[in-house]
Amino acid sequence: MPPLVSDEDARALVRLVAEVAPLRTDHASAKRYLLNGFAKMIAADGWMATEVARRSPNKPVKVVQVLDGVPSEYTEVLWEKIRLEDPGSPVAGDRSTEEMASVTSDSPREGDWLQRAAVSSGHAPGSSPLPRIMTMQALETRRISLIGMFRRPGKPDFDARERALANLLFTEVQWLHAADWKSSTAEGMPALSPRRKMVMDLLRAGLPRKTIADELGLSIHTVSGYVKEIYAMYRVRSQAELIRRCGRSVAPAKFSCVPSESEDEMKEAQTIPVAQA
Amino acid sequence: MEGTVSENDARAMIRLVAEVVALNADHAMAKRQLMDGLSRLIGADCWAWMLAYIHPERPPVHVSIQHGGYSEERFAKYLVAIEHPDMQMLLAPLAEEMLARQAHLTRLRQQIDPEERFLRSGAYPFWLEADVAPLIISVRPVNGQCLSAIGIYRRADAPLFTDRERRIAHIILTEVPWLHELGWPEDLGAKAPALSRKRRLVLNLLLEGHDRKTVADQLSLSPHTVSDYVKDIYKTFGVNSRAELMHRFRVGDNGDS
């Protein structure tokens, strides 16, 4: 007998996804809306959605884009852990991205690093597990979309139904793993090379060229060249215009300082409240 | 099993809605893509959406708003078929049940008409002419005495829709409320409720291209009353002419610059 989904759950997921259309919002806000709605549906306290990239197998991973949703006390430690290449982390581990095509898991291996991240910071009681559902999907070469749903330490673990629903939503809504609407529909805008895409994401996060160059280990001249190409491709003349046109992405926690010209847009993009208990 | 759908069907529905959302399209286009996608999902050939005003004593006034899968010629034949007086036999009990329960209903032809009176009715030859016979009809109450009806059809020689296909259609048509609306809530929601039911009906008839005189006849109103309604409607949507009104709804910019 093929697996079944309750009528009520199928309806709730269809309704949730359909609610995004009338919002007529940018891609990042749509993602946030959907993840907040789903967190509510499975009684999760927080979520994270991020793209990570590794330039070569032996180099540290780079967090390219992160959407907020994680209760703030975890944000810092999560990114610290990923940056430090915790060997237990699914991102920094030795598995190739190709092997990770669309894995949803709550196995100890995927969950451990998150738990240890919380524990090591002293924010969570040492013995309490952190209930979580992690989904990874390989994007293009060496880029991974990572979506996590979790509850506060000490709360009951997610059950089989909740994991199955997460799997349905995160594998069928492909734009949850994309950086914009277009790249999830395979038509429309010409594709950017992976490196230009990284630059693009950081530009959309409002970072100055210098910071982008430092972050990606490139010279400022190289970055400027990419920026010119990106502007030409999207027919814009400034970073502000690019953000207006393509929507804002949220920078990793480390880059909390945002150029003042974009602050208004930042507020605009974050009007949907974050799901927290 | 009762109260469940297969995982594959659930996946297909979620994927379809998500793909339509990703188009980030205007309302009319999003709706068309979703209805076309639903048709593909359940092997339907064409679909049509109409709004109807149910008058207590007279046959309902149907206004066809949007359709897909039909050639122009075939759609004209379909309109003749659905307007055939014998169709009341099929549609009236459904509309009554919907009004009584104030619930969204989705039914197969064989459920509404288990004795197959449809096949012996005067309307049947017209349906054959339009090359449609298997059908799913979904009706949703709108503001008391109006209803939004979506018909999903197959060619006359195709097998009848199954209950599985009906349930897929029912889930999508009930859980995506904007399939029954004329625009996104942000475009219309704040304004449409300000329009009375009669004005909404006039709006729909205007959008169908009817002139004021025809609208007045159809709704048994005086042309002066209709003219007043039309003025209200233009004011509500901030337009000055019929052409502008049609543009707002049909071209689909819906006020988005």
Side-chain angles (χ1 to χ4, degrees):
Chain A
M1 190 144 168
L4 297 171
V5 181
S6 84
D7 211 60
E8 203 182 317
D9 285 338
R11 281 176 173 281
L13 288 175
V14 167
R15 183 168 55 238
L16 177 63
V17 179
E19 275 170 10
V20 176
L23 302 176
R24 311 221 65 196
T25 185
D26 62 86
H27 178 261
S29 302
K31 234 166 158 174
R32 231 173 260 135
Y33 183 88
L34 199 55
L35 291 169
N36 279 332
F38 185 64
K40 215 168 178 183
M41 190 172 155
I42 62 167
D45 296 316
W47 51 265
M48 52 175 255
T50 184
E51 279 181 40
V52 289
R54 185 162 36 172
R55 273 176 285 146
S56 74
N58 301 318
K59 285 191 178 157
V61 293
K62 296 285 182 192
V63 176
V64 179
Q65 185 200 22
V66 56
L67 282 168
D68 53 346
V70 181
S72 54
E73 67 258 39
Y74 296 127
T75 320
E76 287 288 332
V77 286
L78 279 176
W79 300 122
E80 222 166 80
K81 271 300 174 195
I82 290 179
R83 281 166 185 288
L84 289 175
E85 264 197 291
D86 178 346
S89 134
V91 182
D94 53 6
R95 278 193 293 174
S96 71
T97 53
E98 287 74 19
E99 276 178 73
M100 288 193 203
S102 214
V103 182
T104 303
S105 171
D106 66 337
S107 74
R109 183 179 169 134
E110 274 80 20
D112 263 4
W113 64 278
L114 195 63
Q115 189 180 332
R116 270 183 280 131
V119 170
S120 67
S121 72
H123 283 300
S127 56
S128 303
L130 187 67
R132 71 274 151 185
I133 300 174
M134 302 297 292
T135 295
M136 281 168 288
Q137 173 146 322
L139 302 172
E140 45 209 89
T141 324
R142 297 193 197 106
R143 281 166 69 91
I144 302 160
S145 155
L146 188 64
I147 299 179
M149 287 273 155
F150 59 93
R151 292 187 182 141
R152 288 174 190 282
K155 286 201 176 177
D157 220 332
F158 290 101
D159 61 23
R161 171 187 152 264
E162 287 153 349
R163 290 198 300 272
L165 293 184
N167 187 278
L168 276 184
L169 191 72
F170 297 151
T171 50
E172 298 305 336
V173 184
Q174 277 301 306
W175 49 264
L176 277 177
H177 303 285
D180 54 61
W181 296 117
K182 296 292 181 187
S183 56
S184 63
T185 53
E187 48 178 355
M189 290 287 180
L192 289 170
S193 73
R195 194 173 280 189
R196 285 171 186 79
K197 203 144 174 291
M198 283 192 215
V199 174
M200 164 88 172
D201 287 337
L202 294 175
L203 278 174
R204 285 172 54 215
L207 300 182
R209 293 180 192 200
K210 177 86 178 62
T211 314
I212 295 174
D214 290 349
E215 175 57 18
L216 299 179
L218 301 171
S219 93
I220 184 136
H221 303 293
T222 314
V223 170
S224 290
Y226 289 157
V227 170
K228 257 182 218 155
E229 287 175 32
I230 292 167
Y231 285 4
M233 191 171 274
Y234 287 90
R235 300 210 182 90
V236 297
R237 275 162 304 175
S238 70
Q239 192 169 357
E241 240 186 287
L242 183 77
I243 292 171
R244 220 169 297 139
R245 182 141 183 191
C246 303
R248 159 172 286 281
S249 66
V250 178
K254 185 184 159 193
F255 308 114
S256 50
C257 103
V258 175
S260 58
E261 60 174 277
S262 329
E263 256 171 24
D264 284 346
E265 273 153 332
M266 178 103 165
K267 275 178 208 147
E268 218 170 277
Q270 290 181 338
T271 46
I272 299 170
V274 166
Q276 284 186 29
Chain B
M1 211 156 80
E2 197 53 42
T4 58
V5 294
S6 81
E7 188 189 309
N8 280 344
D9 286 344
R11 284 184 178 279
M13 286 188 275
I14 294 164
R15 186 166 56 238
L16 170 63
V17 177
E19 281 169 2
V20 171
V21 168
L23 295 175
N24 208 11
D26 62 77
H27 180 266
M29 179 53 80
K31 184 162 167 163
R32 172 168 304 282
Q33 294 292 337
L34 187 48
M35 285 308 301
D36 286 351
L38 173 60
S39 298
R40 278 197 302 280
L41 206 58
I42 61 175
D45 170 52
C46 42
W47 57 270
W49 175 50
M50 56 178 57
L51 288 172
Y53 172 61
I54 307 162
H55 192 279
E57 283 116 40
R58 293 172 27 185
V61 182
H62 292 283
V63 181
S64 169
I65 309 274
Q66 214 178 0
H67 57 86
Y70 284 105
S71 68
E72 246 176 70
E73 193 197 347
R74 193 169 160 222
F75 187 68
K77 289 177 178 168
Y78 156 82
L79 282 180
V80 173
I82 197 132
E83 288 293 340
H84 191 280
D86 282 4
M87 284 311 289
Q88 280 316 302
M89 160 183 102
L90 214 59
L91 300 176
L94 189 61
E96 265 168 43
E97 186 185 347
M98 181 207 78
L99 282 178
R101 290 172 51 190
Q102 282 295 306
H104 187 142
L105 308 176
T106 304
R107 296 283 185 268
L108 301 166
R109 194 191 83 204
Q110 60 268 39
Q111 282 178 308
I112 309 170
D113 178 33
E115 290 144 25
E116 304 221 300
R117 287 181 299 160
F118 174 69
L119 300 182
R120 300 187 297 274
S121 75
Y124 187 55
F126 291 95
W127 283 92
L128 285 184
E129 184 66 21
D131 196 14
V132 172
L135 56 91
I136 295 175
I137 294 185
S138 193
V139 289
R140 181 187 185 90
V142 181
N143 297 346
Q145 280 191 303
C146 289
L147 68 84
S148 160
I150 293 181
I152 299 172
Y153 310 96
R154 274 183 189 155
R155 292 198 178 266
D157 57 358
L160 293 173
F161 287 103
T162 63
D163 196 55
R164 171 186 153 260
E165 290 155 349
R166 179 193 67 81
R167 290 184 62 196
I168 291 175
H170 187 57
I171 289 176
I172 291 193
L173 297 179
T174 47
E175 298 300 344
V176 185
W178 46 263
L179 282 178
H180 305 275
E181 285 153 17
L182 283 165
W184 300 122
E186 73 179 50
D187 306 326
L188 285 173
K191 291 172 180 171
L195 286 179
S196 68
R197 194 182 66 229
K198 280 268 170 64
R199 285 174 181 80
R200 271 170 170 271
L201 206 58
V202 171
L203 168 65
N204 289 323
L205 290 170
L206 288 177
L207 290 175
E208 270 305 290
H210 295 298
D211 60 26
R212 293 180 191 200
K213 170 111 183 42
T214 314
V215 173
D217 288 349
Q218 286 213 31
L219 301 179
S220 314
L221 299 169
S222 94
H224 301 293
T225 313
V226 171
S227 289
D228 285 346
Y229 286 166
V230 170
K231 263 183 221 152
D232 290 350
I233 291 166
Y234 283 7
K235 207 172 148 203
T236 302
F237 293 100
V239 298
N240 297 311
S241 70
R242 170 78 65 89
E244 269 183 76
L245 187 72
M246 301 280 275
H247 181 78
R248 259 198 83 141
F249 283 92
R250 284 298 159 86
V251 181
D253 69 1
N254 283 348
D256 188 31
S257 54

